[in-house]
């Protein structure tokens, strides 16, 4: 079976490591993984005039301690940057965004067929020039999945994350599925490196032992604290969209994976709130082209 705990996306692209039972159990003790991506969103017209583009880079390092029975506990740290380029100075709500994350992923067996996983996280999302502490949020992604047979693992999950300035808790449900439809086709869900809050779904096809194709769609949403200047000093920005991408993955050996992807972001929306949490601007953007590459190294 393929694994569904983490996927790689600026839009979305499958690049996971173990979270649910698999035929080949990992070696006991410490295991390490480094993965990252670079992606570019082309020009998209804004409803309030002008256009914008964006680029993103993300790098994550993970250490896992594998226990008997497929359980593990780990530590993951990551750094990302998201740079926006707006064509009109009077419609430029933000520019350079920083994204720091620390997570403690855990997995353990609840029974012979059920696996529970929990991943508490702390995040800092803020514009360059703002205080990182003002962009801090925290939360958890958790779920349980049952292995119904050799080909299908499925179960419910949820995410719960705090909001800026005691703005309540953002809660979203998700469905975990890892379904080997046949020896070549697989359907799975997940979220992970570069991914923001929201569920996703990936349909993949194994072309050869080293090459696979996949089509991924997911809901993406990122909120970040702004600096003390600009259109909303010390306010909050949000970028929300539904990216859909087609990717080609090359896996020369179990420790290395390389991927390239292309697609588009649909139903895009930028929202700007002031320092008191009142919305002062909301604008949609047209479908935007999306391209990028990703890598993963395990050792």
């Amino acid at each position: 079976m393929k694994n569904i705990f983490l996927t790689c996306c600026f839009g979305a692209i499958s690049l996971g490591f173990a979270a649910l039972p698999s035929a080949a159990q990992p070696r006991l003790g410490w295991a390490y993984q480094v993965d990252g991506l670079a992606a570019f969103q082309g020009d998209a017209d804004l409803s309030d005039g002008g256009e914008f583009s964006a680029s993103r880079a993300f790098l994550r390092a993970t250490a896992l301690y594998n226990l008997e029975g497929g359980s593990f506990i780990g530590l993951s740290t990551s750094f990302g940057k998201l740079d926006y380029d707006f064509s009109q100075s009077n419609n430029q709500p933000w520019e350079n965004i920083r994204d720091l994350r620390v997570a403690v992923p855990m997995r353990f067996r609840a029974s012979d067929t059920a696996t529970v996983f929990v991943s508490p996280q702390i995040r800092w999302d803020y514009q360059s020039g703002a205080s990182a502490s003002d962009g801090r949020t925290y939360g958890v992604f958790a779920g349980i999945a049952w292995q119904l047979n050799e080909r299908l693992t499925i179960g419910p999950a949820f995410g719960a994350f705090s909001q800026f300035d005691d703005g309540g808790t953002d809660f979203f449900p998700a469905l975990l599925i890892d379904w080997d439809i046949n020896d070549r086709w697989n359907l799975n869900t997940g979220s992970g490196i570069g991914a923001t809050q929201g569920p996703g779904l990936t349909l993949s096809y194994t072309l050869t032992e080293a090459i696979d194709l996949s089509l991924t769609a997911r809901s993406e949403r990122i909120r970040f604290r702004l600096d003390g200047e600009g259109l909303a000093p010390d306010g909050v920005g949000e970028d929300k969209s539904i990216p859909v991408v087609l990717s080609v993955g090359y896996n020369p050996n179990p420790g290395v994976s390389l991927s390239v992807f292309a697609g588009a972001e649909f139903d895009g929306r930028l929202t700007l709130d002031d320092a008191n949490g009142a919305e002062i601007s909301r604008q949609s953007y047209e479908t935007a082209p999306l391209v990028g590459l990703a890598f993963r190294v395990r050792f």
Side-chain angles (χ1 to χ4, degrees), residues 5 16 22 51 57 69 110 118 126 132 144 154 162 177 190 197 233 254:
F5 184 42
S22 61
E51 59 187 20
V118 182
Y126 60 98
I144 182 170
I154 191 169
S162 66
I177 182 171
Q197 298 176 20

Side-chain angles (χ1 to χ4, degrees), residues 1-5 14 16-26 107 109 113 115 145-155 176-188 204 206 296 298:
M1 270 191 185
K2 297 193 182 204
N3 301 307
I4 71 172
F5 184 42
S14 177
F17 70 76
L20 295 180
S22 61
Q25 293 295 335
R107 179 182 71 180
R109 285 289 186 95
T113 59
T115 300
W146 286 268
Q147 188 172 10
L148 302 184
N149 54 52
E150 292 183 353
R151 290 186 174 273
L152 178 61
T153 300
I154 191 169
L176 299 179
I177 182 171
D178 186 13
W179 179 24
D180 285 328
I181 302 170
N182 55 38
D183 290 341
R184 292 187 179 272
W185 290 97
N186 174 272
L187 183 69
N188 68 81
S204 61
T206 301
R296 179 192 63 213
R298 298 175 181 169

Side-chain angles (χ1 to χ4, degrees), residues 179-239:
W179 179 24
D180 285 328
I181 302 170
N182 55 38
D183 290 341
R184 292 187 179 272
W185 290 97
N186 174 272
L187 183 69
N188 68 81
T189 56
S191 63
I193 180 172
T196 60
Q197 298 176 20
L201 187 65
T202 297
L203 178 65
S204 61
Y205 177 77
T206 301
L207 190 62
T208 69
E209 290 186 358
I211 299 175
D212 59 73
L213 309 176
S214 63
L215 178 66
T216 303
R218 66 175 293 110
S219 174
E220 287 281 309
R221 175 175 175 260
I222 183 171
R223 290 174 61 83
F224 38 84
R225 177 67 65 182
L226 302 177
D227 63 17
E229 303 178 357
L231 301 178
D234 301 317
V236 174
E238 178 180 289
D239 187 353

Side-chain angles (χ1 to χ4, degrees), residues 7-289:
T7 60
C8 163
C9 37
F10 169 53
I13 179 170
S14 177
L15 196 61
F17 70 76
L20 295 180
S22 61
Q25 293 295 335
R27 70 180 188 273
L28 300 182
W30 287 105
Y32 305 94
Q33 176 171 304
V34 176
D35 45 7
L37 69 85
F40 177 74
Q41 173 202 300
D43 289 336
D45 292 333
L46 292 161
S47 58
D48 288 354
E51 59 187 20
F52 83 103
S53 60
S55 61
R56 186 170 190 174
F58 206 91
L59 184 66
R60 178 178 61 193
T62 302
L64 292 178
Y65 191 80
N66 294 303
L67 304 168
E68 295 283 355
S71 299
F72 68 64
I73 183 170
L75 176 65
S76 176
T77 60
S78 59
F79 171 76
K81 56 182 299 187
L82 179 57
D83 296 328
Y84 289 83
D85 183 13
F86 292 87
S87 64
Q88 295 185 354
S89 59
N90 63 347
N91 187 17
Q92 185 169 329
W94 53 74
E95 292 181 289
N96 304 320
I97 307 301
R98 300 295 178 260
D99 182 342
L100 306 177
R101 309 181 193 183
V102 177
V104 183
M106 295 173 281
R107 179 182 71 180
F108 59 90
R109 285 289 186 95
S111 70
D112 290 341
T113 59
T115 300
V116 175
F117 69 89
V118 182
S119 180
Q121 304 172 24
I122 302 177
R123 295 180 55 160
W124 294 264
D125 295 295
Y126 60 98
Q127 184 176 3
S128 178
S131 171
S133 61
D134 291 337
R136 183 179 63 243
T137 58
Y138 55 89
V140 63
F141 192 78
I144 182 170
W146 286 268
Q147 188 172 10
L148 302 184
N149 54 52
E150 292 183 353
R151 290 186 174 273
L152 178 61
T153 300
I154 191 169
F158 71 92
F161 291 86
S162 66
Q163 299 295 293
F164 297 127
D165 295 331
D166 298 323
T169 300
D170 183 24
F171 179 89
F172 60 90
L175 176 67
L176 299 179
I177 182 171
D178 186 13
W179 179 24
D180 285 328
I181 302 170
N182 55 38
D183 290 341
R184 292 187 179 272
W185 290 97
N186 174 272
L187 183 69
N188 68 81
T189 56
S191 63
I193 180 172
T196 60
Q197 298 176 20
L201 187 65
T202 297
L203 178 65
S204 61
Y205 177 77
T206 301
L207 190 62
T208 69
E209 290 186 358
I211 299 175
D212 59 73
L213 309 176
S214 63
L215 178 66
T216 303
R218 66 175 293 110
S219 174
E220 287 281 309
R221 175 175 175 260
I222 183 171
R223 290 174 61 83
F224 38 84
R225 177 67 65 182
L226 302 177
D227 63 17
E229 303 178 357
L231 301 178
D234 301 317
V236 174
E238 178 180 289
D239 187 353
K240 186 176 182 179
S241 66
I242 301 176
V244 179
V245 299
L246 179 66
S247 66
V248 179
Y250 174 57
N251 312 285
N253 60 65
V256 176
S257 177
L258 304 172
S259 302
V260 294
F261 58 91
E265 291 194 281
F266 299 92
D267 195 28
R269 186 184 70 197
L270 304 180
T271 304
L272 188 62
D273 296 345
D274 65 18
N276 297 317
E279 184 178 301
I280 61 176
S281 173
R282 178 187 293 247
Q283 53 185 327
S284 60
Y285 56 90
E286 298 295 327
T287 300

